């Protein structure tokens, strides 16, 4: 099987599992316990926090461990917006882009439904990018928070985060970015990016599912969403997932140690794959930005097919990929991300996303490109394969 669905999830790396093992077995203590087992767990958690902070270029106290990317996004969007509204009730608008993951979008909608906020959605251009002018047009004196993702999970488009964050900063508005897909592929130095909050998920990087990180800058106030024992400096109660934190820290370090070389290698492979598909499949369209895109994502529409049928045919040929985001999989609705890029709903139904992890090889992608040519050809000849 050639697994080209790494944007959905990745297997746990051996080094990560080995780093976690002690905290799942002998060193199983609760970091809040006042005995040697507890102390060992607390020390491991502190070390993991420092490791993550080193990669992000921030202080350990600015790192909150969460149960994943979704929780990190919820905590950033709801937590920062609610804290700002509590300090000044006039701050009752949040800005998001039109291509956010549901973890951000639905958090903003929750604020709208239950907390009197309005949501301003910044449009994207045909390549999926937010421009500084488009953001400037919606920023106002009532904006409590801006949340614009670093890289999109469906089409891979990378946003000009540093430029957008600088604009928000000029207006005194905190800026959050969902870096769940970007981490491991693009620099995540929070100072260089100029962001006030940034989300990461472990399972996109070779750590297990169910662990994540939210960076929140300095004194930015965050209203906790989970109440209890006051762990994570009161930001996120609940006994900490020590092994998960250790695993995430290990995976993030491994990913960023070789990030530049990896990016260079995978960009070359990705571009070869994109070229082979565009040359070989008549009418195929690359979605997202041609250059400002994740090294790891190649996404297309294949007019005259259905994405789900192409997916089934590809799986029969040993290639596993996705018709959109994992969260939207199984739904027949056209992807809101593709619609936001101005893609016609009928064409959007023909979307297929290929996403790679660091182990991808040229041979994998040569075989996958050949399979795509055959799969699209057969779906077009035979019509839609019934689900
Ligand atoms: N944000 C983006 C951009 C994602 O791609 C995902 C997962 O697909 C998430 C957030 C949610 O992360 P998690 O699966 O860790 O909850």
């Amino acid at each position: 099987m050639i697994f080209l669905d790494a944007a959905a999830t990745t297997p746990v790396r051996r080094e990560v599992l080995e780093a976690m093992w002690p905290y799942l077995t002998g060193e199983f203590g609760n970091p809040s316990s006042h005995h040697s087992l507890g102390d060992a767990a607390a020390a491991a958690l502190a070390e993991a926090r420092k490791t993550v902070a080193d990669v992000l270029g921030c202080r350990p106290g600015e790192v909150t461990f969460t149960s994943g990317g979704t929780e990190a996004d919820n905590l950033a969007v709801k937590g920062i917006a609610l804290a700002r509204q509590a300090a000044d009730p006039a701050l009752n608008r949040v800005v998001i882009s039109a291509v956010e993951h549901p973890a951000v979008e639905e958090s903003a909608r929750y604020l709208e439904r239950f907390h009197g906020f309005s949501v301003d959605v910044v449009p994207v251009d045909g390549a999926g990018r937010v421009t500084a002018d488009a953001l400037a047009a919606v920023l106002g004196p009532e904006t409590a928070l801006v949340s614009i993702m670093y890289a999109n999970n469906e089409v891979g488009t990378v946003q000009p985060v540093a430029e957008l964050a600088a604009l928000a900063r000029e207006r005194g508005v905190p800026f959050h970015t969902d870096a769940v897909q970007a981490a491991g592929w693009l620099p995540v130095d929070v100072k260089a990016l100029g962001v006030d909050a940034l989300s990461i998920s472990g399972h996109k990087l070779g750590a297990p599912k169910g662990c994540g990180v939210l960076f929140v800058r300095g004194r930015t106030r965050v209203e906790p969403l989970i109440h209890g024992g006051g762990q994570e400096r009161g930001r996120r109660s609940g006994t900490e997932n020590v092994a998960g934190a250790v695993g995430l820290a290990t995976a993030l370090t491994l990913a960023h140690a070789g990030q530049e070389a990896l990016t260079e290698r995978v960009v070359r492979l990705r571009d070869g794959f994109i070229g082979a598909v565009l040359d070989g499949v008549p009418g195929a369209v690359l979605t997202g930005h041609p250059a400002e895109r994740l090294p790891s994502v190649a996404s297309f529409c294949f007019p005259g097919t259905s994405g789900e049928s192409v997916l089934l045919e590809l799986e029969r040929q040993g290639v596993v990929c996705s018709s959109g985001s994992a969260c939207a999989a199984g739904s027949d609705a056209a992807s809101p991300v593709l619609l936001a890029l101005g893609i016609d709903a009928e064409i959007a139904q023909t979307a297929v996303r290929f996403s790679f992890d660091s182990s991808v090889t040229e041979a994998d992608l040569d075989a996958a490109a050949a399979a795509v040519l055959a799969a699209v050809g057969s779906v077009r000849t035979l019509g839609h394969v019934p689900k």
Side-chain angles (χ1 to χ4, degrees):
M1 180 179 88
I2 302 176
F3 179 74
L4 300 182
D5 199 15
T9 197
T10 59
V12 176
R13 291 175 72 152
R14 169 173 286 277
E15 308 91 311
V16 170
L17 194 56
E18 283 171 357
M20 294 172 66
W21 181 252
Y23 305 101
L24 295 165
T25 52
E27 306 276 343
F28 61 87
N30 182 328
S32 299
S33 297
H34 295 288
H35 49 58
S36 55
L37 268 181
D39 292 346
L45 191 64
E47 185 60 32
R49 200 183 306 282
K50 182 173 178 318
T51 303
V52 171
D54 286 346
V55 175
L56 299 183
C58 68
R59 284 184 280 115
E62 295 173 317
V63 171
T64 300
F65 287 110
T66 68
S67 68
T70 298
E71 189 190 325
D73 283 345
N74 272 257
L75 182 56
V77 174
K78 297 179 193 168
I80 296 174
L82 289 173
R84 296 206 80 213
Q85 189 194 45
D88 178 355
L91 295 171
N92 61 6
R93 303 188 80 90
V94 289
V95 172
I96 61 173
S97 83
V99 294
E100 293 306 310
H101 187 273
V104 165
E105 216 244 317
E106 289 301 317
S107 293
R109 296 294 168 200
Y110 164 84
L111 292 172
E112 184 176 55
R113 274 200 306 281
F114 295 106
H115 294 277
F117 280 84
S118 299
V119 180
D120 296 307
V121 179
V122 198
V124 293
D125 63 19
R129 297 255 284 181
V130 173
T131 63
D133 286 347
L135 175 59
V138 297
L139 280 177
E142 295 161 355
T143 309
L145 174 74
V146 176
S147 179
I148 295 179
M149 70 199 326
Y150 195 167
N152 183 263
N153 45 303
E154 289 183 49
V155 295
T157 297
V158 176
Q159 301 295 348
V161 168
E163 186 188 357
L164 301 176
L167 182 61
R169 172 156 293 201
E170 267 171 33
R171 311 278 182 98
V173 181
F175 188 99
H176 164 250
T177 195
D178 172 339
V180 166
Q181 294 293 342
W185 295 105
L186 304 174
V188 284
D189 183 308
V190 292
K191 284 203 187 79
L193 289 171
V195 297
D196 301 290
L198 177 142
S199 308
I200 291 177
S201 170
H203 74 106
K204 312 286 184 181
L205 290 165
K209 295 158 188 66
C211 55
V213 153
L214 179 66
F215 153 78
V216 181
R217 183 180 300 287
R219 296 189 192 284
T220 309
R221 301 217 22 210
V222 184
E223 185 59 34
L225 306 182
I226 300 179
H227 303 95
Q231 289 90 342
E232 297 295 292
R233 307 171 96 214
R235 285 198 166 152
R236 199 273 180 187
S237 288
T239 302
E240 302 89 337
N241 176 359
V242 179
V246 169
L248 191 151
T250 308
L252 192 62
T253 308
L254 287 170
H256 281 275
Q259 186 246 313
E260 273 178 37
L262 173 70
T263 295
E264 208 180 298
R265 185 180 80 82
V266 178
V267 162
R268 194 172 45 76
L269 296 184
R270 179 204 67 192
D271 289 346
F273 176 71
I274 289 175
V277 170
L278 293 179
D279 288 348
V281 180
V285 181
L286 179 72
T287 55
H289 198 285
E292 297 299 329
R293 61 186 303 126
L294 282 172
S296 51
V297 173
S299 51
F300 303 91
C301 286
F302 298 117
T305 68
S306 94
E308 291 290 334
S309 305
V310 172
L311 218 65
L312 288 176
E313 190 52 35
L314 279 171
E315 183 153 17
R316 278 193 341 120
Q317 299 191 32
V319 176
V320 174
C321 55
S322 158
S323 63
S325 69
C327 309
S331 124
D332 276 340
S335 146
V337 168
L338 297 179
L339 298 180
L341 267 63
I343 295 172
D344 189 77
E346 203 176 314
I347 302 293
Q349 305 273 16
T350 72
V352 180
R353 176 191 72 186
F354 303 88
S355 52
F356 327 130
D357 71 11
S358 55
S359 66
V360 66
T361 65
E362 190 157 6
D364 284 347
L365 292 189
D366 286 349
V372 173
L373 272 46
V376 173
S378 99
V379 170
R380 279 179 176 162
T381 312
L382 301 173
H384 294 185
V385 176
K387 281 191 197 149

